[in-house]
Amino acid sequence: WSNSGFVARAGHASGGGLLVDTLTDPVLTASMLTKLGELRGSRGMSPVGALIYTHPDVDHILGNQAIPPGVPRLGTKEAQQEVTVQKAVVPALLVTVNMGNFIWEAAQLVGPAALLAATPSVLEGALLKLLGWARFQSFMAKFNLPGLDAERLPEFSRFLDTGTEVSVEGSILPVTFQHFGPMHSKSDSVLLLPESRVAFTGDLLFIGIAPVMWAGPAKAWIAALDKLLGMTGADWLFVPGHGPVTDAEGVRSVRRFMEYVDHGVSEACVDLPLSDEASDEACGERVLEG
């Protein structure tokens, strides 16, 4: 579902490195670090000297409790504010996932086609929305969420902004932190490794699937991708938040998608006040139909 990254320090073959985001749950995160430990020749989980968050979405932060409490967590002030909001909704998240999964499993027993056939036409749209929501919750139910502790979501020990030095156990790393602001989430950042020509982009990049935009606007996303391309080069590799590692053409493909969204919204929804959910959904339908 989501990607994480690890930056090993030069001259510290088995020492604590920099973890970039966690996976969607603590079990997956611990398993990833154990496998990484094997690759690095250490027993158990690979040591983590610091943990940096590119943005505050649950699929990138819910693995936080797999990392020892004393490990510094780093990120933007805006991301921390959103994580604090997430803490309050974790119990509701678990209830929602369980309820949606139950509905989806029940629908499978009856059969979605049979359900639609037995539903009055006036209610078909509502049923399709319910089934779509339930199906998504069934995906979330596959993760190890029951053991989540809301109080163990990230608490940043230091706030970062564009250009802030990033250090691990007292050693400054040759990386560049770039904060772009709200686009996908309410605070999106990337981490650049110029010497290795690698960029950890968080959810600034979705490769092979349509990007999700919780905050927007698309114009801001386009501007961020232009800056990312300007800060990197044709020989760079980009680790997206979702999907396989890509190159500069992958970045440009996401940019083209955002241009399509921006143009579609500008053309199709100029008469809609996009200040409420109903107008937002109507705009989405117009763009897709167009």
Side-chain angles (χ1 to χ4, degrees), residues 178-184 187-190 192 201 203-205 216-232 238 251-252 254-255 258:
Q178 175 72 41
H179 181 216
F180 286 114
M183 284 166 295
H184 161 74
S187 176
D188 292 291
S189 303
V190 303
L192 307 178
T201 70
D203 281 3
L204 190 64
L205 291 182
K219 286 186 185 298
W221 204 319
I222 293 167
L225 292 173
D226 284 340
K227 184 158 189 173
L228 179 63
L229 287 167
M231 297 174 70
T232 56
F238 301 83
V251 179
R252 287 190 285 269
V254 177
R255 188 191 187 284
M258 286 299 160

Side-chain angles (χ1 to χ4, degrees), residues 83-171:
V83 170
T84 301
V85 174
Q86 302 285 12
K87 286 184 179 183
V89 302
V90 164
L93 170 68
L94 299 180
V95 172
T96 298
V97 169
N98 289 333
M99 183 182 301
N101 188 49
F102 175 81
I103 293 172
W104 181 249
E105 290 184 346
Q108 298 314 294
L109 291 175
V110 177
L115 276 175
L116 280 171
T119 301
S121 58
V122 70
L123 297 177
E124 283 183 359
L127 177 61
L128 286 172
K129 285 184 179 180
L130 175 64
L131 290 176
W133 169 82
R135 184 168 184 261
F136 176 79
Q137 303 309 324
S138 74
F139 294 152
M140 291 297 295
K142 298 181 188 302
F143 293 104
N144 300 282
L145 301 181
L148 283 178
D149 181 353
E151 294 306 313
R152 296 176 66 185
L153 291 187
E155 287 285 348
F156 298 167
S157 58
R158 187 160 68 97
F159 293 132
L160 303 179
D161 206 340
T162 296
T164 304
E165 290 183 339
V166 177
S167 62
V168 174
E169 297 174 346
S171 299

Side-chain angles (χ1 to χ4, degrees), residues 59-74:
D59 53 338
H60 294 263
I61 68 172
L62 290 184
N64 183 74
Q65 68 192 62
I67 312 302
V71 173
R73 274 74 166 167
L74 313 173

